[in-house]
Amino acid sequence: MTTTAETVDAFHRGRFHLIQPLGQGHRSGMDAMLLAALVSCERSCRVADLGAGAGAAGMAVASRLPEAEVLLVERSPLMADFARRSLALPENTRFAARVAVLEADVALNGKARVAAGLPDDAFDHVIMNPPFNDAADRRTPDRLKAEAHAMSDDLFETWIKTAGAITKPGGQLSLIARPESIAEIIAACGRRFGGIEITPLLPRAGENAVRILVTAIKQSRKRLVLRAPLTMHAEGTHHFSPEVDDLNNGRAAYCRR
């Protein structure tokens, strides 16, 4: 059992709850909810959440989609323990049986990856919120937070290579990242994923994007599409726009065009 200080936080307006570390490690919020909103499926589907942390994005998918089976993949034993304990909360009983936790490194290759529990061509959707800071910018003494936020060399190549291996042909990759990573993401998709759709996320109209939402389809040869931006707030207010609020609270999916 962990003795780390923690909080129990409600998401989707109380539809599910998450135990998260307090004062160390990565705490999930809107990024995870928007990532989860990229998964749209009207039938049973298998979803892998790579680098799941405490499991916010994967649980958000399971909470919204009653037929989704979700695998939370996390290499940190401490964060995986938060995910397991979150699934045991009574508030999450509705979907807990459809969610599993796997302690494994996303960077594993070939037979080692398969042996760890990530077989080839197994998932309809693979989602990820990779570490997004350059390692040179790391300034925190918190090891868990440093691991969660610091980008290693070739990170997108490594993570998207794994996604390409475990996604079914025709399956969807979804990720959220900072705009400066766009070239690396496109390069890493390579011939693994096509039909890339990129949506800039703006704080307010006229401001620069702070995130990009990316989806792509395994083995697709369709061209890249740059979609109209999503704007989080109206001018002069901190309230979310109706569309973003629906995505953030599990009332809608952000579907591909």
Side-chain angles (χ1 to χ4, degrees), residues 14-168:
R15 292 277 288 169
F16 77 96
H17 289 67
L18 191 72
I19 304 174
Q20 302 194 84
L22 179 64
Q24 66 170 306
H26 172 71
R27 290 178 59 80
S28 296
M30 185 175 177
D31 280 8
M33 297 303 100
L34 292 178
L35 173 61
L38 297 177
V39 179
S40 177
C41 191
E42 297 180 356
R43 53 179 174 78
S44 61
C45 60
R46 296 191 68 197
V47 182
D49 180 1
L50 302 186
M59 290 186 204
V61 172
S63 176
R64 178 171 54 83
L65 299 178
E67 296 190 71
E69 295 183 4
V70 179
L71 182 64
L72 307 175
V73 184
E74 174 55 46
R75 74 175 184 177
S76 163
L78 178 58
M79 296 307 293
D81 182 59
F82 277 109
R84 292 190 188 96
R85 293 194 297 118
S86 293
L87 289 171
L89 292 173
E91 294 89 346
N92 298 336
T93 301
R94 177 172 51 86
F95 62 81
R98 295 185 282 109
V99 182
V101 180
L102 175 67
E103 284 185 36
D105 191 338
V106 174
L108 290 173
N109 287 313
K111 293 181 180 179
R113 171 181 47 74
V114 174
L118 291 171
D120 292 343
D121 301 332
F123 296 94
D124 302 285
H125 290 265
V126 174
I127 64 175
M128 61 176 73
N129 180 11
F132 48 71
N133 288 338
D134 190 290
D137 295 333
R138 190 183 311 179
R139 295 292 183 268
T140 174
D142 178 351
R143 179 183 59 81
L144 276 178
K145 187 174 290 186
E147 289 181 357
H149 289 275
M151 184 185 302
S152 60
D153 292 341
D154 298 324
L155 178 139
F156 286 104
E157 171 64 25
T158 299
W159 284 48
I160 292 176
K161 179 181 179 182
T162 294
I166 68 175
T167 304
K168 295 177 181 178

